[in-house]
């Protein structure tokens, strides 16, 4: 049976229940591991579930950060160095990825602590996560504060994409299911994904048509 | 074999290929149908794949809009009226949902044209999409322009949640797989989702543990 939950009622929920419910309303997300370094070379790796597409030309994506979250090391490092790595999460290491959300101290290198392997690329000082099927090297270009709750929106430019050629179609589509990356819901649920269909570009005078 | 695509190379790609690729890098998203009305009561329904969680207290979510996209009717209506409906997409109507992206003229009511049923709720002038398993009634509270590409970020407050009580757990988690909503990748691919696990809140001194 459909129930209605109003704003007043939601605000009376116990905090963790409200946090879970509202986070779940964000629906399916694409968690990634953000790799950063501070000025002394201390590395940090943290899971973010707030990646979103901002534009293709130039290639831009957003990341939303709560300043008081475990991501504070990431935010502080990005403010210092601007450059960072983005590592999509393969099903084989989603538990290690989730574990990076623990409040380790600043001197902890999460790669080592949770059991992920570092992978260095030419001219990139911060490592990637080995076996991550899609990796980006990115630069932060803007920071926007959202006054309603003091979260920070980072606008970032993609500088390099690393991807297996077998998952990249001729038309630019990435077969993310074949790549084996996972999605997430809320704060703690991880999902495998099965493509239903791609559909043709929608046109007013034509019905929806299956592309593949 | 892993290939590298640099920014310069990406900018030389044919436009549609670049658009596909960069949109796919946004990973799994949660498409929704946004229902709006203009001041004369002309209804509009459009698919958005840019919903994201902004905060739980107060419950806020973002929507990113390209001013030149088909979503321009949605943006113009939200600017006029502030209030709108958000309808999560059940697998049974993902093709109709995709079809709302076609560039219909302003006098087209997409519910009727693509074959979706309206559902009215008390004290809400804009209809919802019948059979949508999760529905929100929301108010736009802020508009932020992203200077890098002139996209508009709408920050919105959730006023009411409509959900089947069978998919809502005691701890606030929504079983979105049971609800039957879909995810999407890029501009045209739709996915079903299968939960791997929920994991316990990560703590530094404990290994990752399965919650359910």
């Amino acid at each position: 049976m459909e129930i209605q939950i109003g704003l007043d009622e939601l605000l009376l929920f116990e905090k963790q229940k409200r946090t879970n419910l509202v986070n779940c309303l964000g629906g399916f997300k694409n968690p990634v591991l953000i790799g950063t370094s501070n000025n002394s070379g201390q590395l940090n790796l943290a899971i973010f579930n707030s990646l979103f597409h901002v534009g293709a030309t130039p290639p831009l994506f957003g990341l939303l950060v709560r300043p008081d979250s475990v991501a504070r090391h990431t935010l502080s490092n990005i403010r210092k160095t601007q450059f960072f790595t983005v590592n999509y999460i393969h099903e084989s290491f989603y538990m290690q990825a989730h574990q990076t959300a623990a409040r380790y101290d600043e001197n902890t290198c999460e790669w080592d602590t949770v059991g992920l392997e570092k992978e260095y690329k030419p001219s990139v000082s911060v490592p990637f996560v080995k076996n991550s099927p899609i990796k980006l090297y990115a630069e932060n270009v803007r920071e926007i504060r959202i006054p309603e709750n003091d979260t920070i929106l980072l606008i970032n430019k993609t500088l390099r994409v690393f991807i297996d050629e077998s998952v990249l179609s001729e038309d630019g589509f990435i077969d993310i299911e074949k790549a084996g990356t996972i999605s997430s819901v809320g704060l703690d649920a991880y999902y495998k994904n099965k493509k239903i269909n791609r559909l043709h570009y929608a046109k007013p005078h034509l019905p929806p048509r299956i592309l593949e």
Side-chain angles (χ1 to χ4, degrees), chain A:
Chain A
M1 199 188 70
E2 189 174 87
I3 56 168
Q4 172 180 319
I5 305 167
L7 180 58
D8 292 348
E9 191 184 347
L10 195 59
L11 293 173
L12 290 174
F13 276 18
E14 178 265 320
K15 182 172 180 252
Q16 195 53 46
K17 180 170 182 174
R18 179 175 58 250
T19 302
N20 276 339
L21 195 157
V22 182
N23 268 277
C24 285
L25 293 177
F28 290 103
K29 296 172 292 193
N30 196 90
V32 290
L33 286 165
I34 304 289
T36 56
S37 166
N38 70 10
N39 287 330
S40 324
Q42 173 64 50
L43 300 175
N44 192 272
L45 187 70
I47 191 168
F48 277 72
N49 61 19
S50 60
L51 174 88
F52 62 97
H53 173 78
V54 170
T57 311
L60 297 171
F61 63 91
L63 285 171
L64 197 72
V65 188
R66 281 178 46 200
D68 60 342
S69 74
V70 70
R72 70 200 177 283
H73 294 151
T74 302
L75 181 60
S76 139
N77 288 348
I78 289 177
R79 282 173 169 166
K80 285 172 193 147
T81 66
Q82 279 188 277
F83 298 94
F84 58 98
T85 72
V86 182
N87 305 273
Y88 293 63
I89 299 168
H90 188 269
E91 194 193 341
S92 60
F93 61 81
Y94 81 97
M95 290 180 94
Q96 288 96 320
H98 181 78
Q99 185 64 18
T100 65
R103 288 183 173 267
Y104 293 112
D105 66 38
E106 203 179 349
N107 299 318
T108 302
C109 172
E110 285 81 4
W111 273 272
D112 302 336
T113 305
V114 308
L116 291 168
E117 225 176 310
K118 299 186 197 80
E119 181 179 333
Y120 284 93
K121 303 274 192 193
S123 326
V124 181
S125 61
V126 185
F128 293 84
V129 173
K130 194 168 177 178
N131 300 323
S132 163
I134 306 171
K135 309 180 194 79
L136 309 179
Y137 181 52
E139 176 184 14
N140 177 245
V141 294
R142 185 176 297 276
E143 194 174 296
I144 299 171
R145 194 178 68 93
I146 302 198
E148 277 67 25
N149 64 357
D150 284 333
T151 48
I152 305 286
L153 173 59
L154 299 173
I155 303 292
N156 315 286
K157 187 189 280 188
T158 298
L159 303 176
R160 299 193 218 167
V161 179
F162 300 91
I163 191 170
D164 199 280
E165 60 183 346
S166 69
V167 304
L168 184 60
S169 305
E170 196 51 47
D171 72 350
F173 180 73
I174 300 174
D175 189 338
I176 207 165
E177 176 185 352
K178 189 171 169 191
T181 63
I182 49 139
S183 61
S184 69
V185 171
L187 298 168
D188 56 21
Y190 295 91
Y191 289 77
K192 290 209 267 202
N193 310 278
K194 175 102 194 113
K195 189 162 67 189
I196 307 170
N197 277 310
R198 288 182 72 187
L199 299 179
H200 275 282
Y201 186 83
K203 295 190 171 175
H205 58 286
L206 287 173
R209 293 157 300 145
I210 292 169
L211 176 63
E212 63 176 45

